[in-house]
Amino acid sequence: MAFWLLKSEPSEFSWNDLLQKPNRQEIWDGVRNYQARNYIRSMRPGDLALFYHSSIPEPAIMGIVRIISDPFPDPSQFDPRSPYYDPRSSRENPRWYSVFVQAIQTFYPPIERSELKKDHRLQTMELFRKGSRLSVMPVLAEHWQILTKYPYKLEELP
DNA sequence: GCCAACGTTGGC
DNA sequence: GCCAACGTTGGC
């Protein structure tokens, strides 16, 4: 099982948006970077990921999601009305991939980036590498162990 | 709003 | 293949 971090701008799709979806599941689509795409393609059901809010005054890890599908071609690349439409993509030759995710745990309070930066054990996270902009990135098991000890409340599924 | 870092595009 | 120009990301 592997660990990941998924970025989202809350104005686009927030943690709360995910919690309000049926069964707290949603497709993770719109990734349009090849390295991030490659990470998505290496995901497997059962992998876990941190859900991170970016591009806001206080960026933070909001919760944990489980990857609940195998990777599959991102449907939005074929949809001319989608902002993620890619005319160079075809169904025979898809460029971009998605997975389904399900929220399983909410950090309470959220783990703010400024808090993470105070933990010297976490400074080697990809998230803190200078110039790191990937919206999908792997998380080391040693970092995962540390992060999951932060306070959280379990979210019971309906 | 600023700006560094990075990715993509396209002329040559 | 090189690289300048441009667009985007995202913390601050």
Side-chain angles (χ1 to χ4, degrees), chain A residues 2-87:
Chain A
F3 302 111
W4 309 96
L5 182 146
L6 300 172
K7 281 185 196 171
S8 186
E9 298 189 20
S11 59
E12 287 294 313
F13 185 71
S14 72
W15 181 247
N16 226 33
D17 292 336
L18 178 58
L19 293 185
Q20 284 168 20
K21 296 288 177 184
N23 294 325
R24 294 178 181 143
Q25 298 176 196
E26 185 55 296
I27 186 173
W28 202 264
D29 61 1
V31 172
R32 294 295 181 268
N33 168 285
Y34 285 105
Q35 193 176 348
R37 187 277 310 266
N38 292 343
Y39 286 139
I40 287 181
R41 284 207 297 207
S42 66
M43 289 178 176
R44 293 296 174 261
D47 285 0
L48 297 174
L50 305 165
F51 188 114
Y52 178 86
H53 278 176
S54 68
S55 294
I56 49 172
E58 291 186 331
I61 296 171
M62 303 303 294
I64 294 177
V65 298
R66 181 182 286 122
I67 310 303
I68 56 169
S69 76
D70 282 311
F72 59 96
D74 180 346
S76 67
Q77 70 193 304
F78 308 125
D79 178 1
R81 290 156 306 175
S82 166
Y84 302 123
Y85 177 57
D86 185 346

Side-chain angles (χ1 to χ4, degrees), chain A residues 139-152:
Chain A
V139 173
L140 293 176
E142 61 188 275
H143 292 146
W144 189 270
Q145 299 308 325
I146 294 164
L147 290 161
T148 50
K149 291 189 172 61
Y150 278 81
Y152 59 87

Side-chain angles (χ1 to χ4, degrees), chain A residues 60-130:
Chain A
I61 296 171
M62 303 303 294
I64 294 177
V65 298
R66 181 182 286 122
I67 310 303
I68 56 169
S69 76
D70 282 311
F72 59 96
D74 180 346
S76 67
Q77 70 193 304
F78 308 125
D79 178 1
R81 290 156 306 175
S82 166
Y84 302 123
Y85 177 57
D86 185 346
R88 298 164 302 182
S89 236
S90 68
R91 298 201 181 261
E92 301 71 35
N93 238 329
R95 293 186 169 208
W96 310 113
Y97 282 75
S98 290
V99 288
F100 273 91
V101 302
Q102 179 179 44
I104 61 168
Q105 186 172 304
T106 298
F107 286 110
Y108 191 81
I111 314 173
E112 289 180 6
R113 182 182 177 90
S114 57
E115 284 300 311
L116 295 170
K117 289 184 100 170
K118 292 178 190 164
D119 191 327
H120 70 277
R121 301 169 296 176
L122 299 175
Q123 299 320 297
T124 49
M125 288 183 74
E126 168 69 17
L127 189 63
F128 293 126
R129 217 195 74 244
K130 191 174 168 63

